[in-house]
Amino acid sequence: MEYMTESTNRSPGHILCCECGVPISPNPANICVACLRSKVDISQGIPKQVSISFCKQCQRYFQPPGTWIQCALESRELLALCLNKIKAPLSKVRLVDAGFVWTEPHSKRLKVKLTIQKEVMNGAILQQVFVVDYVVQCQMCGDCHRVEAKDFWKAVIQVRQKTLHKKTFYYLEQLILKYGMHQNTLRIKEIHDGLDFYYSSKQHAQKMVEFLQCTVPCRYKASQRLISQDIHSNTYNYKSTFSVEIVPVCKDNVVCLSPKLAQSLGNMNQICVCIRVTSAIHLIDPNTLQVADVDGSTFWNHPFNSLCHPKQLEEFIVMDCSIVRDIKRGAGAGMISKKHTLGEVWVQKTSELNTDKQYFCRTHLGHLLNPGDLVLGFDLANCNLNDEHVNKMNSDRVPDVVLIKKSYDRTKRQRRRNWKLKELARERENMDTDDERQYQDFLEDLEEDETIRKNVNIYRDSAIPVESDTDDEGAPRISLAEMLEDLHISQDATGGEEEFQRIQDG
């Protein structure tokens, strides 16, 4: 009678577990979940603790067999990497869900919560949830190991320019920083007449050479040297060298063109002034304001050199200046500069103020000069010029003085400069004491030339108080609207710290 009452009270559609007697829904094993789990562990064979390699230098994780990948914490890429470490054991079960369990960033641990299913006794499907603990082990990757060794490289770019001034290199440095072309370099070494860029692969070096060809007028030669070979697998190990030569002309150089080149540029005078060097050499004729661009290929076909080096610049004082309104243009003349004004000036050397000797010349600086101003120029009348093109010119075609730029008080300009530039991290050797003066010349060129300034990232210097954009002397300055705010944000990553830089318009 008691048995009948118990069977009557039991819910319809339920059976008793054959192990513990608990009422359960019918299943192929006729056993409850608790008893089934005590008998069968479907996670058996799946490791509960796995090691994963992490490089602190480059913040990358190792993906077998030989790849290092960049992954953010708790990202889909990092989860795929973790699951790939236990791919073989997971193939025996069905993976339902996977996700990260939060851990401290510095704990050297990554925890992944897995939900799996598997068919067990008599076709019953059992689901189980467990956590796999990944131990992050620090290991230096091959690329960082080569960087630390400082003597292992596959390709080198030797950039050279046969000039006494480094204005072109300072400009090139800012372009490299702006477009991030220095990120794949193992190291950068600065020597007397150029820079050496070392790379771990030839492809990175070729990319840099292509960048140089687009930014400065140059030419290059490539060579390679056999380091080792394996005759069994037919593999060879080479070291490649790219020799890049930049045209030997800088801003503010006075050059003498060949007659054929001057005629092809619109019948310019042979004596010209280089106003800037970007992807081409920009020339201006101080007698007519005619401008022309000479690219790298044209220069190497019709080469020309600088007549005077920057140390030969002399200071003149303007005695009289008049603007030339009507410019006579010859047949086939080229483009005229709209940013300059043609002027006729009488100047006298500041070192010869006790004499009556004055010089007359035409200049492209007519819009800047007034009587009493100081101006820098080259004295060609008293200079021993050793140039094949000048020697063939008529003496009356060679001007006595070529004026380059107006002179301002450098100390005052430097004190009021409220901006700064970034520099490449590089090794220096055999540096000249004249480098600081040349760098100040480059900074002044940025203030005076808006065209060059557009290609350079200029950052506001918070240590210098903000003043008006013009001073009493009229020296050109960079406005605040053209400056960028340089912000540094540090973010902690697994096994170390990673530096992020964000540039925001000021």
Side-chain angles (χ1 to χ4, degrees), residues 100-384:
F100 282 103
V101 179
W102 187 86
T103 56
E104 287 286 348
H106 296 286
S107 63
K108 304 284 187 180
R109 293 291 188 275
L110 298 173
K111 293 186 178 182
V112 179
K113 184 178 180 181
L114 301 179
T115 303
I116 60 174
Q117 291 181 351
K118 187 178 181 180
E119 184 178 334
V120 292
M121 305 167 57
N122 300 325
I125 297 177
L126 183 62
Q127 180 171 305
Q128 186 173 344
V129 180
F130 63 99
V131 175
V132 179
D133 191 6
Y134 290 85
V135 180
V136 179
Q137 296 180 345
C138 293
Q139 178 184 347
M140 187 178 292
C141 66
D143 294 337
C144 294
H145 191 275
R146 297 186 187 103
V147 174
E148 292 296 323
K150 294 184 179 180
D151 60 351
F152 186 90
W153 50 270
K154 289 292 185 66
V156 61
I157 301 177
Q158 300 172 341
V159 185
R160 300 291 184 267
Q161 186 182 30
K162 298 177 181 178
T163 57
L164 297 177
H165 206 289
K166 298 182 178 180
K167 288 184 179 181
T168 306
F169 278 107
Y170 291 135
Y171 173 70
L172 182 60
E173 176 186 16
Q174 296 305 315
L175 291 179
I176 293 174
L177 286 169
K178 181 175 182 178
Y179 296 104
M181 298 302 297
H182 62 292
Q183 296 179 351
N184 294 322
T185 55
L186 296 179
R187 64 170 175 158
I188 303 174
K189 185 177 180 181
E190 182 175 355
I191 61 175
H192 177 68
D193 57 348
L195 294 171
D196 290 344
F197 298 87
Y198 294 87
Y199 294 89
S200 59
S201 67
K202 185 178 179 181
Q203 289 75 18
H204 291 156
Q206 289 175 332
K207 185 177 179 181
M208 182 64 171
V209 171
E210 294 173 358
F211 174 78
L212 293 175
Q213 288 182 299
C214 296
T215 53
V216 290
C218 61
R219 63 179 178 180
Y220 78 97
K221 293 181 180 179
S223 62
Q224 59 184 10
R225 179 164 57 97
L226 179 64
I227 303 302
S228 61
Q229 62 176 332
D230 187 352
I231 60 175
H232 301 289
S233 60
N234 199 26
T235 57
Y236 300 87
N237 182 21
Y238 290 100
K239 279 191 174 182
S240 302
T241 301
F242 296 87
S243 179
V244 180
E245 183 181 1
I246 302 176
V247 294
V249 178
C250 287
K251 185 181 183 297
D252 297 337
N253 283 166
V254 178
V255 299
C256 182
L257 308 179
S258 64
K260 185 176 181 180
L261 178 59
Q263 183 180 8
S264 65
L265 296 177
N267 292 324
M268 295 180 66
N269 289 317
Q270 290 182 246
I271 303 295
C272 296
V273 178
C274 177
I275 54 177
R276 75 179 64 90
V277 177
T278 55
S279 58
I281 304 173
H282 302 268
L283 302 175
I284 187 170
D285 183 355
N287 287 311
T288 61
L289 294 186
Q290 188 172 330
V291 292
D293 297 342
V294 179
D295 56 15
S297 60
T298 304
F299 175 85
W300 300 118
N301 292 330
H302 305 279
F304 51 86
N305 296 315
S306 174
L307 299 182
C308 309
H309 55 79
K311 291 184 179 180
Q312 291 178 301
L313 275 173
E314 296 191 56
E315 190 176 60
F316 296 84
I317 185 170
V318 179
M319 308 305 294
D320 186 25
C321 180
S322 60
I323 303 300
V324 179
R325 301 298 179 184
D326 298 327
I327 304 176
K328 295 181 180 180
R329 305 187 64 189
M335 186 182 301
I336 298 295
S337 174
K338 302 297 183 182
K339 296 182 179 180
H340 300 84
T341 303
L342 186 62
E344 293 181 343
V345 296
W346 285 91
V347 295
Q348 186 176 14
K349 289 185 182 180
T350 55
S351 60
E352 299 176 350
L353 291 178
N354 56 347
T355 66
D356 296 333
K357 190 173 184 180
Q358 296 185 3
Y359 303 90
F360 174 80
C361 65
R362 278 193 168 191
T363 179
H364 60 289
L365 305 176
H367 59 296
L368 297 176
L369 301 183
N370 295 300
D373 289 343
L374 296 178
V375 61
L376 299 177
F378 290 112
D379 181 8
L380 299 184
N382 302 313
C383 182
N384 184 15

Side-chain angles (χ1 to χ4, degrees), residues 351-503:
S351 60
E352 299 176 350
L353 291 178
N354 56 347
T355 66
D356 296 333
K357 190 173 184 180
Q358 296 185 3
Y359 303 90
F360 174 80
C361 65
R362 278 193 168 191
T363 179
H364 60 289
L365 305 176
H367 59 296
L368 297 176
L369 301 183
N370 295 300
D373 289 343
L374 296 178
V375 61
L376 299 177
F378 290 112
D379 181 8
L380 299 184
N382 302 313
C383 182
N384 184 15
L385 299 177
N386 185 16
D387 186 87
E388 58 175 343
H389 302 311
V390 176
N391 295 335
K392 297 178 182 179
M393 291 179 61
N394 295 328
S395 58
D396 57 345
R397 301 279 295 177
V398 180
D400 293 337
V401 174
V402 178
L403 301 181
I404 300 300
K405 60 181 179 180
K406 188 176 179 180
S407 179
Y408 301 97
D409 187 353
R410 167 165 288 187
T411 303
K412 187 177 295 186
R413 292 183 68 176
Q414 190 172 351
R415 186 173 63 249
R416 294 187 176 184
R417 188 171 291 135
N418 58 345
W419 53 274
K420 59 183 179 180
L421 301 175
K422 290 186 176 181
E423 295 184 5
L424 286 174
R426 57 188 184 273
E427 302 175 5
R428 291 180 169 92
E429 64 176 24
N430 300 327
M431 301 306 296
D432 295 334
T433 56
D434 199 38
D435 287 347
E436 181 61 28
R437 184 191 65 82
Q438 295 184 17
Y439 188 68
Q440 292 300 323
D441 288 343
F442 173 69
L443 298 183
E444 293 175 2
D445 290 342
L446 290 180
E447 293 175 337
E448 297 168 3
D449 195 339
E450 183 182 358
T451 305
I452 299 179
R453 202 160 60 230
K454 290 180 180 179
N455 300 328
V456 177
N457 284 340
I458 298 173
Y459 300 93
R460 179 181 170 185
D461 191 354
S462 57
I464 307 299
V466 178
E467 298 181 4
S468 59
D469 291 340
T470 58
D471 54 20
D472 297 335
E473 292 186 350
R477 301 185 63 186
I478 299 178
S479 62
L480 290 175
E482 298 178 86
M483 301 180 192
L484 302 175
E485 291 288 348
D486 185 19
L487 301 181
H488 299 271
I489 301 177
S490 298
Q491 176 176 337
D492 294 336
T494 302
E497 294 184 354
E498 184 176 4
E499 189 76 14
F500 292 88
Q501 296 183 356
R502 180 167 60 90
I503 299 175

